[in-house]
Amino acid sequence: MRLHPLLLSLCLAVALIPAAGASDDVRLPHLGSSADQAFTQAEAAAYGASMLRQMRALGLVLDDPLATQFINALGYRLVSSSESPKTRFTFFIPREDVINSFAAPGGYVGINSGLITATQSEDELAAVMAHEISHIEQHHLQRAFADASKTTPLYALAMLGALAAAVGGSNINAPMAIASLSQGLVVQHQINFTRKDEAEADRVGIQTLANAGFNPDGMAEFFGRMQLLLRADSGGYQVPALLQDHPVTTLRIAEAEARAHTLKAQMAQRQALPASSVRLPTWETTLIPVPMLRQPGNLFSAAQRSDAPGSKRAHDDYLLMRERVRVLSSTDLSALARYYADNLARHAAFGIPSNHYGYALVLMRSGHANAAREQLAPLLAQDPDNLPLRLAMAHAELLAGQRARALADYARISHDWPRNQAVALDYASALILDADQAAGAKAEALLRPQLDDSDAPEVYRIYGRAAELAGLKIRAAEAFADATFLSGHAAAALDQLTRLSQRADLDYAQRARIDARIAWLTPIVLDQRRLRANSGAAGGSDDL
């Protein structure tokens, strides 16, 4: 079902929408005394996590392990080169063709699928992400809430309550009702305040971009592309109304170009100095935790080839993931299939691996697995250790009825990429199709390590099915409850756990785990019910 795009606009409003125009170049203090009192780190993290769960409940998040792994690896490469390299971030992809991105409390950064597919290079995508990272690290959200302490929090609570009602209620006009509620409450109120923040986020973001090894011109290049799209309203994208009201200005582009030129000159001067004379910041000489990069080195290739920014490998990986996002977020597979087929037939320059890969994904989603294999075979012959290509071929074989060959491929991929979430999830999903205990036990063992640091509902859902097949009934029920909660349905998850706690066959450890989950989840459900009551929403269930 195609969800109304205004629902995402509401999520952005709740997350405090930043203005797009930037004309003031004022350096704000890194920390404001009043800003830190707006909300604590724990409150910010809880708010961001709640926002993400409710977006998932509305089907607004692209929870694809490969794309999520890519966007988080790119994000944490930037974070490790930023002013606060140990800050916790969560990067995710809203399933929206609107060209937009946003930063939310708790280090949550959303990069819309439409923005990813609108970029032309990894540098442009990294520039947008560096900008959003800077909003969080410069405490812009805290200052914005502090600046409107008597108004904005009330608006945010009202809209969050309306969103909760839309998730749990049955009102078919909920999208329009929510949109009406948000009109004029946040955007215009914040616009004068956030222009300074935008200027600072541009400046700090370009510095982060350069520190991470990306081309600092990436931000100006993307601004220029946005300006062209806004002028013509072209490209088949829905341009955000906020950007139409406050377009990317020529001055903003000029400032980004000037900043990039200065940084490149400084970098060239530094490279000309003897290595011993270059003093690094203290944090660059310490161990920096980068949680998403479980396998150092190449992200999608097992071979020892450089994936540093600007390398051919990095560009190829970016192109593959851009097309993957394009396909998986599409709601019109027929049009997308024509797009790939026509361009591959007519334009030789279009016949690069990423476009054949995108076409193969469309074919698989459309039920043409054998045709997808024909697209993938030449690509794998040229790049046999490429992870996205290998996973795509294994999945195509599975869909084509070549089950034994697919499982053998998955086993080899799992050996080459141990503990990789995308690999484990695909392999486990294939195994549980056997619906026998041995296959279930193998799938359960594959996915168990992924539960330590994953908030993807599908991981828990597939793990639950695997545990069920393996005979681990209690573990399975717990996993299904976790999947329900992470999908944005906290009350339903609490009901599942409550029923599970009433079983007479629980041992001490099982009962303690379940009771702890219930105790943690209960206040979350109560808060959501309070928000719905405060929003004045009528009807609907409590199933959030």
Side-chain angles (χ1 to χ4, degrees), residues 12 112 206 253 294 315 352 369 386 390 437 447 475 527:
L12 306 193
N112 281 15
I206 293 173
I253 295 173
R294 298 180 187 169
H315 184 63
I352 58 177
N386 184 284
R390 291 177 67 180
Q437 187 169 12
L447 285 180
R475 285 287 189 185
D527 281 345

Side-chain angles (χ1 to χ4, degrees), residues 269-280:
Q269 187 176 31
R270 179 186 295 182
Q271 290 171 355
L273 295 173
S276 59
S277 66
V278 179
R279 298 187 63 183
L280 296 175

Side-chain angles (χ1 to χ4, degrees), residues 315-327:
H315 184 63
D316 289 346
D317 288 345
Y318 154 78
L319 290 175
L320 288 174
M321 290 303 102
R322 185 186 68 181
E323 297 312 305
R324 185 174 184 86
V325 169
R326 189 192 309 278
V327 173

Side-chain angles (χ1 to χ4, degrees), residues 66 76 111 134 144 265 309 313 403 413 458:
L66 274 180
Y76 268 99
I111 307 296
S134 298
R313 167 54 55 186
R403 182 168 180 73
I413 298 169
E458 192 66 9

Side-chain angles (χ1 to χ4, degrees), residues 194-453:
T194 57
R195 282 174 181 168
K196 295 178 181 179
D197 292 344
E198 289 293 308
E200 185 175 45
D202 286 352
R203 182 170 49 257
V204 176
I206 293 173
Q207 180 71 61
T208 297
L209 199 64
N211 289 348
F214 294 96
N215 185 350
D217 285 324
M219 190 169 288
E221 290 172 356
F222 187 74
F223 285 166
R225 191 177 316 284
M226 286 292 293
Q227 190 175 54
L228 290 175
L229 289 170
L230 289 167
R231 283 175 181 171
D233 194 13
S234 62
Y237 300 102
Q238 179 182 347
V239 180
L242 184 61
L243 295 183
Q244 291 175 339
D245 294 337
H246 307 282
V248 176
T249 64
T250 302
L251 175 61
R252 189 179 187 185
I253 295 173
E255 288 175 343
E257 290 174 340
R259 179 62 177 160
H261 178 77
T262 300
L263 285 174
K264 287 192 290 186
Q266 293 174 350
M267 291 160 61
Q269 187 176 31
R270 179 186 295 182
Q271 290 171 355
L273 295 173
S276 59
S277 66
V278 179
R279 298 187 63 183
L280 296 175
T282 302
W283 64 262
E284 289 195 19
T285 62
T286 62
L287 180 64
I288 300 171
V290 186
M292 289 304 300
L293 297 181
R294 298 180 187 169
Q295 293 179 232
N298 300 300
L299 182 60
F300 292 138
S301 174
Q304 294 304 309
R305 292 175 290 181
S306 173
D307 69 343
S311 68
K312 183 180 184 303
R313 167 54 55 186
H315 184 63
D316 289 346
D317 288 345
Y318 154 78
L319 290 175
L320 288 174
M321 290 303 102
R322 185 186 68 181
E323 297 312 305
R324 185 174 184 86
V325 169
R326 189 192 309 278
V327 173
L328 297 185
S329 61
S330 174
T331 57
D332 190 346
L333 292 180
S334 297
L336 199 55
R338 289 193 300 272
Y339 160 79
Y340 283 115
D342 291 349
N343 282 293
L344 286 170
R346 297 176 184 178
H347 307 292
F350 192 79
I352 58 177
S354 58
N355 289 326
H356 283 283
Y357 172 69
Y359 189 28
L361 294 180
V362 173
L363 289 169
M364 279 189 279
R365 290 191 66 193
S366 304
H368 303 288
N370 283 322
R373 293 169 65 192
E374 293 176 3
Q375 293 291 322
L376 293 167
L379 307 182
L380 277 168
Q382 296 175 8
D383 194 2
D385 69 327
N386 184 284
L387 178 59
L389 298 181
R390 291 177 67 180
L391 283 176
M393 179 59 87
H395 188 54
E397 289 172 344
L398 189 66
L399 293 176
Q402 301 293 324
R403 182 168 180 73
R405 181 180 297 179
L407 289 176
D409 282 351
Y410 279 130
R412 286 190 290 269
I413 298 169
S414 182
H415 176 270
D416 293 342
W417 297 88
R419 293 182 62 86
N420 182 285
Q421 185 173 110
V423 173
L425 195 59
D426 277 11
Y427 191 9
S429 298
L431 284 168
I432 62 176
L433 292 176
D434 282 340
D436 65 43
Q437 187 169 12
K442 190 170 185 177
E444 190 272 338
L446 276 171
L447 285 180
R448 192 187 315 123
Q450 303 299 328
L451 303 182
D452 294 338
D453 60 355

